[in-house]
Amino acid sequence: MSTRSIHTQNSQPPSWMIRSSFKFFLISLIVFATTCHWCPLSAVAAAESDLVDAKSLAMANRILQKVKDYENPPPSWNMILRVMENSFLAIPDNDSNFYQSSPHEEKARERALHWLAHEDESSANLSDDGYDRGLLQRYALATIYFATGGDDWKECSQKKQSSNNPDSICESDDERYLSPFSHLKWTGINGKNGQVTWLDLSGRGLNSRTFLPLEVTLLSPSLELFWVSENDQLEGSLPNYLHEFQSLVSLSAYKTSVSGTIPESIYTLPKLNSIRLYKSKFEGTISTQIGKLAELKWFWIHENEFTGSVPTEIGQLSKLEGVTLYGNKFTPIENKDDTESHITPIENKDGNISITPMENKDGKSSSSSIIPESLCSLKGKHLKHLWSDCEEGALTPALSEDGGKKAALVVKEGIQACSCCTRCFPRKNGVVAAVN
């Protein structure tokens, strides 16, 4: 068979390519028609009505160019560029590993673009240079707003009232999200040198089944604080691309419906000193890579569904000040060289027991705990708060020689307890006691 005949048989492109090419042609026509000063107005109007308005298209190209021009961008920016090209310019991507946006996320992306092109009046309050310098982050924050039901937020929504939120409280209208002022003035946003360093969306009433949109990576070069806590309708999982937030100091997603594991990528963040994920739906094991978080001071993960053993590598974190592990499903560790431990109880008003280790009594015990000895050894350094489980009945009053009760409690032999913890939370039928 000749080369010519092969070419003839395969010359018909697939239908998806025809549709995408036609869509791309229409977009190109819009660009030409809207920049053509001698074209009749009817041609411009016809082009706009076929697909997308010219102002939104011009804004899309401006955002895309900003991404392309960024010096030394994080790896995920290549993905967000492809996603935006697919969304805004209908450029197809046939990679099987291509990021799949949810319809909700796609809609949020379109609404953010439309807001920037048609509704954002910040140009009257910002210099051209100031607006251009913050454009990518302004777009990212707008996409996050729309992807999490921003119009119904409890605090500082763009809308002062909505059907689901009759009164979105805010100290100043300048601080409302999507206000026509610098996004660094919006409540929960702080920054320096024109870049967002602080994103605090705690307690807003975020509503999303897929955590936050991919556009949050546009904040990664400068973000130091990332808080989305106390949003019980925030679902999804922590994304793997968090390792690109190399400036991140504090991560907080407690009291949410976020689930899944802690991504391995988090353990590579060199400045991270605070992880607070408690009272959520996280699961899986804690990686041995946790020992690499040399700056970690606070690790609060109580009342989740974590399993497996607490890795001994956690004892490498010499700067730890607070660790809370109770209310999970960790596997107890046998501490064979432990002795029967006496602890002094301080009962709080909520009925929980704060405990302080005393000197060990003679005689070996087979008591077990989820706490590795390497973590206990940090008590002599900076560790001040170590909270763990103990089974119901694990702590019983010690008896004096004359049969009277002494001030100390004894950990029963063979019972899951923690002799080095500063606070113990008894479990009844596998459920942790109520805590503050």
Side-chain angles (χ1 to χ4, degrees):
M1 183 181 293
S2 67
T3 303
R4 182 177 180 181
S5 62
I6 294 175
H7 175 75
T8 303
Q9 289 184 12
N10 297 331
S11 60
Q12 181 64 33
S15 59
W16 65 265
M17 185 176 293
I18 296 175
R19 290 194 299 271
S20 296
S21 299
F22 181 66
K23 192 175 182 181
F24 183 73
F25 167 74
L26 286 176
I27 292 177
S28 302
L29 178 62
I30 294 172
V31 174
F32 170 73
T34 54
T35 56
C36 175
H37 299 290
W38 51 266
C39 293
L41 292 178
S42 58
V44 176
E48 290 182 359
S49 63
D50 279 336
L51 187 60
V52 66
D53 67 272
K55 290 187 69 175
S56 294
L57 181 61
M59 179 59 71
N61 279 310
R62 186 175 177 181
I63 293 171
L64 291 170
Q65 194 61 48
K66 292 287 291 183
V67 175
K68 293 175 182 178
D69 292 344
Y70 196 91
E71 187 176 353
N72 298 321
S76 68
W77 282 31
N78 179 56
M79 179 63 73
I80 189 63
L81 179 64
R82 293 161 61 189
V83 167
M84 290 191 295
E85 285 179 337
N86 180 263
S87 296
F88 301 149
L89 304 183
I91 297 177
D93 197 309
N94 303 315
D95 185 352
S96 60
N97 296 320
F98 183 60
Y99 179 84
Q100 297 297 319
S101 300
S102 67
H104 182 71
E105 189 174 337
E106 281 284 350
K107 185 65 177 178
R109 194 169 288 127
E110 294 170 4
R111 291 184 67 187
L113 180 65
H114 185 274
W115 172 77
L116 282 170
H118 295 276
E119 302 172 33
D120 186 11
E121 300 175 353
S122 61
S123 58
N125 302 302
L126 300 173
S127 66
D128 291 343
D129 180 66
Y131 182 84
D132 188 67
R133 187 169 57 248
L135 179 60
L136 285 183
Q137 297 197 339
R138 199 170 181 86
Y139 163 70
L141 293 172
T143 306
I144 292 170
Y145 176 88
F146 289 116
T148 57
D151 285 346
D152 292 324
W153 282 1
K154 299 175 183 177
E155 181 184 354
C156 291
S157 169
Q158 177 192 27
K159 293 185 176 182
K160 298 181 182 180
Q161 293 182 333
S162 71
S163 56
N164 295 327
N165 187 16
D167 187 13
S168 181
I169 301 172
C170 202
E171 291 186 7
S172 166
D173 285 346
D174 295 0
E175 297 180 8
R176 290 189 179 276
Y177 258 67
L178 309 192
S179 75
F181 298 93
S182 169
H183 51 272
L184 298 182
K185 288 187 175 182
W186 298 349
T187 187
I189 305 295
N190 282 332
K192 56 186 177 184
N193 300 323
Q195 301 297 301
V196 174
T197 58
W198 188 326
L199 178 63
D200 181 6
L201 300 177
S202 302
R204 297 291 176 83
L206 306 186
N207 190 334
S208 173
R209 294 184 177 180
T210 54
F211 195 60
L212 300 186
L214 186 61
E215 275 78 357
V216 73
T217 61
L218 296 177
L219 307 178
S220 62
S222 58
L223 200 65
E224 299 174 3
L225 182 146
F226 188 7
W227 290 359
V228 291
S229 300
E230 297 183 308
N231 290 293
D232 59 5
Q233 296 186 71
L234 180 64
E235 302 177 19
S237 58
L238 295 179
N240 289 323
Y241 54 69
L242 281 177
H243 72 278
E244 296 182 0
F245 291 71
Q246 290 292 296
S247 298
L248 195 64
V249 173
S250 180
L251 174 64
S252 181
Y254 64 84
K255 293 185 180 180
T256 66
S257 294
V258 179
S259 58
T261 61
I262 298 178
E264 288 282 323
S265 59
I266 283 184
Y267 303 114
T268 66
L269 297 176
K271 299 180 181 180
L272 193 61
N273 71 19
S274 174
I275 299 177
R276 299 188 296 174
L277 307 177
Y278 59 89
K279 293 188 177 182
S280 296
K281 297 183 179 181
F282 292 99
E283 58 188 10
T285 60
I286 305 301
S287 172
T288 57
Q289 298 300 308
I290 194 173
K292 294 182 178 181
L293 293 176
E295 298 299 317
L296 195 63
K297 294 181 179 180
W298 302 96
F299 189 52
W300 294 2
I301 60 169
H302 57 271
E303 295 192 46
N304 278 287
E305 299 292 328
F306 289 113
T307 56
S309 299
V310 177
T312 59
E313 286 79 2
I314 197 171
Q316 298 172 12
L317 307 180
S318 60
K319 295 184 179 181
L320 276 178
E321 296 182 19
V323 179
T324 63
L325 302 172
Y326 67 89
N328 285 287
K329 298 179 180 179
F330 289 120
T331 303
I333 303 169
E334 289 292 331
N335 295 313
K336 296 181 180 180
D337 58 349
D338 251 3
T339 56
E340 187 178 5
S341 300
H342 288 248
I343 49 184
T344 303
I346 302 176
E347 187 166 330
N348 300 294
K349 62 182 180 180
D350 59 7
N352 296 314
I353 301 173
S354 298
I355 59 179
T356 304
M358 294 178 62
E359 292 184 359
N360 293 325
K361 185 181 177 182
D362 293 336
K364 295 268 179 111
S365 170
S366 60
S367 63
S368 61
S369 167
I370 65 171
I371 306 297
E373 294 177 12
S374 61
L375 182 54
C376 288
S377 68
L378 298 180
K379 285 287 296 298
K381 298 181 180 180
H382 299 287
L383 189 59
K384 301 175 183 177
H385 308 281
L386 179 55
W387 298 0
S388 181
D389 305 292
C390 54
E391 294 179 6
E392 183 185 25
L395 308 179
T396 59
L399 298 178
S400 63
E401 293 181 358
D402 59 4
K405 291 186 178 180
K406 299 168 69 175
L409 297 183
V410 177
V411 178
K412 286 183 178 179
E413 183 178 344
I415 294 294
Q416 181 182 340
C418 175
S419 60
C420 69
C421 293
T422 61
R423 195 171 181 184
C424 174
F425 294 83
R427 298 174 66 88
K428 184 175 183 179
N429 297 324
V431 180
V432 70
V435 296
N436 290 334

